[in-house]
Amino acid sequence: MHQDYLKSLLKYDTETGNFIRVVGRGSQRVGKIAGAPHVKGYWRIGINGKFYLAHRLAFLYMNGYMPKQVDHINGDKRDNRWVNLRACSHAENLWNTRIPKDNSSGVKGVYYNKRDRAYVCRIYKNGELAWSHFTKCKREAEEKTKEARQRLHGSFTKHL
């Protein structure tokens, strides 16, 4: 799809992140918000029988291309305001994820090794272990891991 074609069908409101229909077809009314939530939490919009994720359409609308990955800076999959979107690599997108549900330490990148009775801290970058640390103290594990994550992941850092 091309930017011009998208703009002929929809208007993107950068402040709300909503796409508004410019052309109506069938049950799709002019002036109404386009799309619906997808099962995975993202907002998707149907165009000519194909579904597109709204955050990717926002990039096409604003910049004329769809990047391979788009990151929601605040982690909210439905917040498609322009200030909340940025192009990224797959790795950068993963860096900006929340702490996994199965994390038992309560600290992203840290797990407790029962055999050694120590906290193991690990941070990966570009698929490789970039930093590790071992400590008996949970607070130290948290502090050191946050410092290293900030240094290695920069603006894509998310601690929780």
Side-chain angles (χ1 to χ4, degrees):
M1 180 183 329
H2 295 286
Q3 183 184 39
D4 292 338
Y5 182 66
L6 176 63
K7 287 184 174 187
S8 74
L9 299 175
L10 303 169
K11 180 185 181 305
Y12 174 57
D13 183 340
T14 59
E15 298 296 317
T16 65
N18 293 327
F19 280 90
I20 309 299
R21 294 217 177 266
V22 176
V23 175
R25 292 182 180 162
S27 64
Q28 302 167 347
R29 303 276 186 243
V30 173
K32 296 291 183 185
I33 294 174
H38 184 264
V39 239
K40 293 184 178 182
Y42 295 100
W43 196 261
R44 69 180 190 164
I45 300 171
I47 299 174
N48 296 333
K50 185 175 178 184
F51 286 100
Y52 297 88
L53 296 174
H55 55 280
R56 295 179 52 72
L57 287 178
F59 257 85
L60 178 61
Y61 193 95
M62 297 297 288
N63 294 334
Y65 75 99
M66 280 194 220
K68 290 188 180 197
Q69 297 258 330
V70 176
D71 180 48
H72 290 82
I73 297 167
N74 68 6
D76 182 350
K77 297 175 180 181
R78 291 191 188 175
D79 184 354
N80 293 313
R81 293 173 300 130
W82 186 241
V83 297
N84 189 46
L85 302 176
R86 61 184 167 187
C88 64
S89 69
H90 180 66
E92 289 168 332
N93 208 1
L94 291 174
W95 298 342
N96 191 30
T97 58
R98 292 186 171 104
I99 189 169
K101 291 178 183 178
D102 63 348
N103 179 301
S104 59
S105 73
V107 181
K108 188 175 177 182
V110 175
Y111 75 91
Y112 186 73
N113 183 309
K114 291 178 184 176
R115 186 191 69 189
D116 296 334
R117 295 184 183 156
Y119 290 94
V120 180
C121 316
R122 291 184 177 151
I123 296 178
Y124 291 84
K125 186 169 184 175
N126 302 324
E128 296 181 9
L129 182 63
W131 177 86
S132 65
H133 182 73
F134 302 89
T135 181
K136 300 278 186 186
C137 175
K138 183 178 178 180
R139 174 174 244 141
E140 180 185 338
E142 183 173 12
E143 289 172 3
K144 296 280 187 185
T145 302
K146 282 183 177 180
E147 289 169 8
R149 187 180 303 111
Q150 187 67 47
R151 187 176 65 253
L152 292 165
H153 295 173
S155 65
F156 288 89
T157 298
K158 180 170 272 181
H159 298 297
L160 299 174

